[in-house]
Amino acid sequence: MNLQADKIELAKMLLATNDPEIIQSIKQIFKKEGSTDFWDQLTSEQQTEINQAILEIENGEFVDFDSFMAKHR
């Protein structure tokens, strides 16, 4: 099955159920998924370092892994 088919099947099952425990469990899953973003768990220093690294990559200021390893072997 593909993702779209899985989503349709889940929607059908949800619409067919009258079990409040199942509905509550699904709501909890979505609340938990929506509230956990790793970015929010990083310190401001870590976020700054990541943003700086992104800028360096965008500006071509990096060395690829093989070149780096060749110098250190």
Side-chain angles (χ1 to χ4, degrees):
M1 260 188 192
N2 64 32
L3 181 60
Q4 193 64 27
D6 287 341
K7 289 166 58 175
I8 291 169
E9 185 62 28
L10 285 170
K12 287 179 183 178
M13 290 189 299
L14 180 59
L15 290 169
T17 188
N18 289 320
D19 186 338
E21 290 181 17
I22 291 174
I23 294 170
Q24 188 61 33
S25 294
I26 293 169
K27 285 172 69 174
Q28 290 300 321
I29 290 169
F30 279 108
K31 284 181 183 177
K32 183 178 179 185
E33 276 297 309
S35 66
T36 54
D37 183 353
F38 84 94
W39 186 260
D40 297 330
Q41 297 173 1
L42 298 175
T43 66
S44 60
E45 291 82 15
Q46 290 170 320
Q47 291 176 355
T48 300
E49 289 180 16
I50 291 170
N51 285 328
Q52 180 62 38
I54 291 169
L55 287 174
E56 290 173 2
I57 291 169
E58 289 172 350
N59 292 329
E61 302 169 4
F62 64 92
V63 176
D64 67 85
F65 178 76
D66 291 330
S67 297
F68 176 82
M69 290 305 294
K71 292 179 184 178
H72 299 282
R73 288 186 182 167

